[in-house]
Amino acid sequence: MILNTGNRTDIPAFYSQWFMNRIHEGYVLSRNPYNEDLVLRYRLSPDVVDLIQFCTKNPTPLLPYIDELKRSYRMYFMVTITPYGTEIEPHVPNKNRIIDATKSLSKKLGKENVIWRYDPIFINDKYTLHYHIHIFEEMCKKLSGYVDACIFSYIDLYKKTEKNFPEVREVTREEKEVLAQSFSAIASRYAIKLRTCLENDAFLNKYNIDTSGCATKDKLEAATNLHFNIPKSDMMARTGCQCLLGNDIGAYNTCFHECRYCYANYDNKLVEKNMKLHDPSSPLLIGHVKPTDIIRDAKQISYIDHQTTIFDF
């Protein structure tokens, strides 16, 4: 199976010690976000966990544990580095620090296992087209040779996003095309592959942009040099998305970055309340097991196909 940590919160940034405690104890509990009394128990054993995916805005707190983790687990990191200031991303550290941490990850894991996310993109009076194009090139200069690819996407106006960021607007078709053309040319100069996340506009293909997905089966196989035999039931995470994003151990309303465009937080007061309930020694990310909880073992199998073909030689 593939264990995901980043669809609902940022575990490396805020819960690294908890995560390592779970690794040492060999299991983790994950509360169902839509049924609070239902809890899944995942075994954290390399014989069933083929890959751990991290999506983070700050991998720094997890860096001291990477050498220990890589002795037993394969890892795939997507690190989000955007051009926005603290008025948009209140608690994200200085971006140069995140770039340095990303380089450290790359040195330890190889650039094929470290992907840079530049998303979501929105346009306003400060973050203009010119601003995005300029900053994107500056970041490409610093990350060239350290990341395999860059994933970008334009902002989606989820209800949570509209509530926390009411002045934001959609990116127009004309703006999308300008950015796609410019980003493609820049990324090519710095030998960084350019991909999109859930952006299936046909015009993107003419700029040599990969629109097939962020963490799809083929991309994870290429990164790990493995073949995965994945059940169809585990393939589709959401409509239009072919990425392998199931089996997430995070929780909504627990990310203290408090980015205004975030879809995983809808109430910052609840975020602060939840973080106070966090206990690094608990098997749950937030709080503890309740007497009313129904705990079920997750269905876990290794996806690795150990059979080889003539094409593998």
Side-chain angles (χ1 to χ4, degrees):
M1 62 163 292
I2 294 170
L3 188 76
N4 279 287
T5 72
N7 302 326
R8 302 170 186 165
T9 193
D10 191 332
I11 286 176
F14 301 111
Y15 305 106
S16 285
Q17 184 59 64
W18 171 83
F19 181 78
M20 293 307 301
N21 288 344
R22 303 324 315 143
I23 290 290
H24 296 152
E25 293 195 32
Y27 78 100
V28 64
L29 299 182
S30 178
R31 192 175 296 283
N32 188 313
Y34 309 108
N35 182 350
E36 290 192 357
D37 291 330
L38 182 59
V39 176
L40 279 181
R41 183 184 189 276
Y42 291 99
R43 274 198 307 128
L44 300 181
S45 171
D47 65 337
V48 289
V49 177
D50 303 314
L51 180 69
I52 303 175
Q53 282 198 92
F54 295 98
C55 191
T56 180
K57 284 185 168 68
N58 181 16
T60 307
L62 197 61
L63 284 178
Y65 306 110
I66 295 298
D67 288 334
E68 176 186 349
L69 283 168
K70 75 176 186 179
R71 286 197 289 268
S72 300
Y73 299 94
R74 302 171 191 87
M75 289 171 282
Y76 188 82
F77 275 81
M78 289 187 280
V79 184
T80 300
I81 313 172
T82 66
Y84 308 121
T86 54
E87 82 284 6
I88 304 297
E89 300 174 341
H91 304 295
V92 175
N94 178 276
K95 303 304 169 69
N96 285 318
R97 286 176 52 197
I98 308 306
I99 288 172
D100 289 342
T102 303
K103 290 179 177 180
S104 296
L105 269 181
S106 180
K107 291 173 183 176
K108 289 177 179 289
L109 300 177
K111 72 173 187 176
E112 65 276 6
N113 292 299
V114 181
I115 306 299
W116 164 33
R117 296 190 69 106
Y118 185 101
D119 70 334
I121 295 172
F122 66 85
I123 308 293
N124 65 13
D125 291 342
K126 178 176 180 179
Y127 302 106
T128 62
L129 287 173
H130 175 76
Y131 184 95
H132 277 289
I133 293 166
H134 171 72
I135 294 297
F136 182 75
E137 178 149 23
E138 291 301 307
M139 289 183 177
C140 281
K141 287 179 185 177
K142 294 178 180 181
L143 290 167
S144 180
Y146 293 97
V147 297
D148 185 61
C150 176
I151 298 163
F152 76 97
S153 69
Y154 308 107
I155 194 163
D156 290 314
L157 299 186
Y158 298 106
K159 288 184 179 179
K160 295 176 186 178
T161 306
E162 290 178 325
K163 175 179 179 291
N164 294 324
F165 198 4
E167 68 271 29
V168 73
R169 65 167 176 84
E170 290 185 341
V171 182
T172 68
R173 163 61 191 266
E174 292 75 17
E175 290 168 336
K176 287 182 178 182
E177 186 140 14
V178 169
L179 288 172
Q181 183 176 15
S182 299
F183 279 19
S184 178
I186 293 167
S188 179
R189 286 201 294 273
Y190 294 96
I192 296 174
K193 301 169 190 172
L194 197 59
R195 302 174 185 162
T196 59
C197 176
L198 273 181
E199 299 287 347
N200 297 316
D201 294 295
F203 72 83
L204 293 169
N205 294 321
K206 68 182 179 182
Y207 298 119
N208 197 31
I209 297 171
D210 181 348
T211 61
S212 63
C214 320
T216 57
K217 176 177 177 289
D218 63 314
K219 291 181 175 65
L220 297 183
E221 286 178 333
T224 58
N225 290 314
L226 294 171
H227 293 289
F228 292 133
N229 184 10
I230 301 174
K232 288 184 179 180
S233 59
D234 292 355
M235 289 292 290
M236 185 68 73
R238 50 183 173 162
T239 303
C241 179
Q242 298 295 324
C243 295
L244 301 172
L245 301 178
N247 304 311
D248 195 287
I249 61 171
Y252 293 119
N253 290 302
T254 61
C255 181
F256 194 57
H257 290 311
E258 296 186 343
C259 302
R260 296 191 64 197
Y261 51 75
C262 182
Y263 68 87
N265 288 348
Y266 64 81
D267 186 332
N268 288 343
K269 289 184 179 180
L270 183 56
V271 171
E272 294 170 16
K273 177 183 176 182
N274 283 336
M275 293 189 75
K276 289 178 182 178
L277 295 174
H278 171 68
D279 179 354
S281 65
S282 172
L284 286 162
L285 183 64
I286 301 299
H288 296 82
V289 174
K290 301 179 297 186
T292 56
D293 285 338
I294 301 169
I295 301 177
R296 297 175 180 168
D297 288 332
K299 294 180 180 180
Q300 294 178 261
I301 59 169
S302 173
Y303 291 157
I304 298 176
D305 183 354
H306 294 283
Q307 295 183 355
T308 59
T309 73
I310 60 171
F311 300 106
D312 296 312
F313 295 95

